[in-house]
Amino acid sequence: MPISQFDLIVVGSGSGGFGAALAAARLGVRVLLVEKSDSLGGNAARGGVNNWEPGVGGTGIPFDLFRRLNKIPNAIGIYSYGRHYKWQGKDVDPKFPGGELLIDPTRSYLDSLRCFGGPAFADAEAFGRKHWHGVPFEPDFYSAEMEKMLVETGHCTIWKSTAFTDVNVDGSRLCSLRLTNGDTVDADFFVDATADILLARRLHCRTSLGQESRELYDEPSAPRSPNDRLNGCTLIYRISRKGKATRGIDPLPASVPSPCWWADEYPIAVYTQYPIGDFNVNALPVMAGREAYEMGYERAYAECQRRILAHWHHVQLVFPEFQDFRISWVAPGLGIREGPRLIGRYILTEHDLIAGISDQTHEDIITIADHPRDTHGADTGRAGTSELTEPYGVPFRCLLPVEIDNLAVACRGASFSSVAASSCRLSRTMMQLGQAAGTAVALATKDHLSSLATVSPSVLRASLEIQHVEISWPRSPEMLRHLSEENN
């Protein structure tokens, strides 16, 4: 017999899991959040992706979290573009080794809520400086505030350093989970927010990995034949200023050769300033996604540790300004951009991205996004970005597997094609997928529904709008008023 009974069990506390747990708990659902690591936040915290990139749709729970962090000195800020090697003239030598994102106290959260509409990046300097503003944050504050928000609901139990080991299924319903702490827990509903959709895969839900053929969904950016290529991954590190007496090039360990050995040239990187002045260094990428997947997580992490030391040595050599800095932190988790994806009740494809929300006909859109098709690593065959002309919507059905009625998938492994996933994978979008999943569970619990697929799309959307989730475009005056309350 299960020793613990909940209304909802969320597995994984990344952006999607946090959003699902918080939304449901706020609506009175008894939630258990299970997290295998010792802290919350997933890729955005442990993976070093300590930054929300520009994009529409970052309302609802992301804005609530921002407002809390904004009350803590040096916990969060807004960036604007500084230098970028593509925007520097031919006479600049050496060029900045990537892109520079600098804290800009003149900007507000609302400024971070737009990405679409720009020209190709090399020609987008004026547009980017005006519209592209992101949200860098301190990961320790970020994780701690997430946990406080969940605890404050009075309806969420958090078990860290815990994972599931077994499942109990009855037909199309998941009934209970066996956990590494020895407990068995059951619930009416479940959310899989694990990085590799481990729960959905354990339940034999149909999934996809790699790039689909152009023929499958008739996507113009898809390859003619399917392949196993994945978006590149990165081990992110942090640099801090040295004292003047220690300025210079940091020595390489004997085990790390100075020449780059994994590609023809070192990758560019994004250097994002933290509010206290340190920089987050995100090389694009450190390892091919498929290479990391086949190598296995532990070996891939160890190899990426070697690679970032070589990368940093190279940066200090070619750009002497960085000889004033040292590596002060390495993310405890790999920044992985792509893994297995659900084949759910609806598959978001490039057609949705191209159509934009004005030409989509879905009745169950639960968030909007506008990040470009964005793939890292030349081995993917489509490296680089492709800007969108307007936001698009993500249907709720993308979260729902066909096989299990009481499960939702709220993470980058939701039901997206590979092309669509390259756009619809950012932290704030994932948090809003989670908010929709948690809200749907609350509605299903209230109405005694057994399947999440039977939740009314109109009722779900109305509930999300009450929670200030942006599900339409253009932005309403009411939403603008809400977002202007930055420090409330």
Side-chain angles (χ1 to χ4, degrees), residues 234-369:
T234 298
L235 182 57
I236 292 174
Y237 59 96
R238 179 175 184 149
I239 57 174
S240 304
R241 286 195 178 273
K242 302 175 180 177
K244 289 184 178 179
T246 56
R247 188 182 191 278
I249 298 172
D250 298 332
L252 275 174
S255 62
V256 180
S258 56
C260 180
W261 67 96
W262 72 89
D264 293 335
E265 59 183 14
Y266 283 92
I268 60 153
V270 177
Y271 300 80
T272 304
Q273 189 177 42
Y274 288 95
I276 66 167
D278 292 357
F279 283 87
N280 177 288
V281 184
N282 183 349
L284 303 171
V286 171
M287 182 176 284
R290 171 53 60 173
E291 181 184 7
Y293 191 82
E294 292 180 349
M295 189 178 289
Y297 187 88
E298 299 300 329
R299 287 183 59 213
Y301 184 91
E303 174 61 16
C304 284
Q305 285 181 301
R306 286 163 35 89
R307 295 184 182 187
I308 62 171
L309 292 177
H311 176 262
W312 176 236
H313 185 74
H314 166 75
V315 168
Q316 289 188 307
L317 281 171
V318 301
F319 208 78
E321 176 180 325
F322 284 108
Q323 294 178 21
D324 290 326
F325 290 82
R326 61 179 176 85
I327 294 179
S328 56
W329 177 81
V330 177
L334 280 176
I336 298 175
R337 296 180 174 89
E338 183 178 3
R341 301 180 306 280
L342 180 72
I343 299 177
R345 296 179 186 242
Y346 181 81
I347 300 168
L348 190 80
T349 71
E350 190 174 19
H351 295 290
D352 289 286
L353 277 57
I354 294 171
I357 196 165
S358 61
D359 284 333
Q360 289 176 299
T361 58
H362 310 298
E363 297 179 349
D364 59 338
I365 286 174
I366 42 82
T367 190
I368 59 174

Side-chain angles (χ1 to χ4, degrees), residues 48 53 86 178 247:
E53 291 194 34
K86 286 191 175 182
R178 182 75 174 173
R247 188 182 191 278

Side-chain angles (χ1 to χ4, degrees), residues 118-198:
F121 192 92
D123 301 319
E125 181 175 3
F127 185 91
R129 293 191 184 284
K130 180 178 180 179
H131 293 293
W132 290 341
H133 308 281
V135 187
F137 49 81
E138 287 288 350
D140 289 345
F141 286 130
Y142 185 84
S143 298
E145 284 305 305
M146 280 182 158
E147 188 161 352
K148 289 177 185 177
M149 292 172 76
L150 291 166
V151 171
E152 287 169 8
T153 67
H155 296 288
C156 185
T157 300
I158 303 169
W159 289 351
K160 291 179 281 190
S161 302
T162 305
F164 79 92
T165 60
D166 203 2
V167 298
N168 177 32
V169 180
D170 182 9
S172 62
R173 291 189 62 78
L174 173 57
C175 301
S176 64
L177 301 178
R178 182 75 174 173
L179 305 178
T180 52
N181 63 6
D183 288 351
T184 298
V185 290
D186 72 354
D188 295 322
F189 297 97
F190 297 80
V191 169
D192 184 352
T194 60
D196 288 327
I197 52 172
L198 298 174

Side-chain angles (χ1 to χ4, degrees), residues 366-390:
I366 42 82
T367 190
I368 59 174
D370 68 339
H371 189 67
R373 289 152 285 190
D374 184 16
T375 307
H376 299 278
D379 67 293
T380 64
R382 54 171 192 258
T385 63
S386 178
E387 303 297 333
L388 303 178
T389 58
E390 68 171 287

Side-chain angles (χ1 to χ4, degrees), residues 68-87:
R68 289 180 65 114
L69 288 166
N70 203 32
K71 296 177 181 178
I72 302 172
N74 294 322
I76 201 164
I78 308 293
Y79 73 64
S80 292
Y81 266 89
R83 293 165 291 182
H84 197 285
Y85 79 103
K86 286 191 175 182
W87 298 344

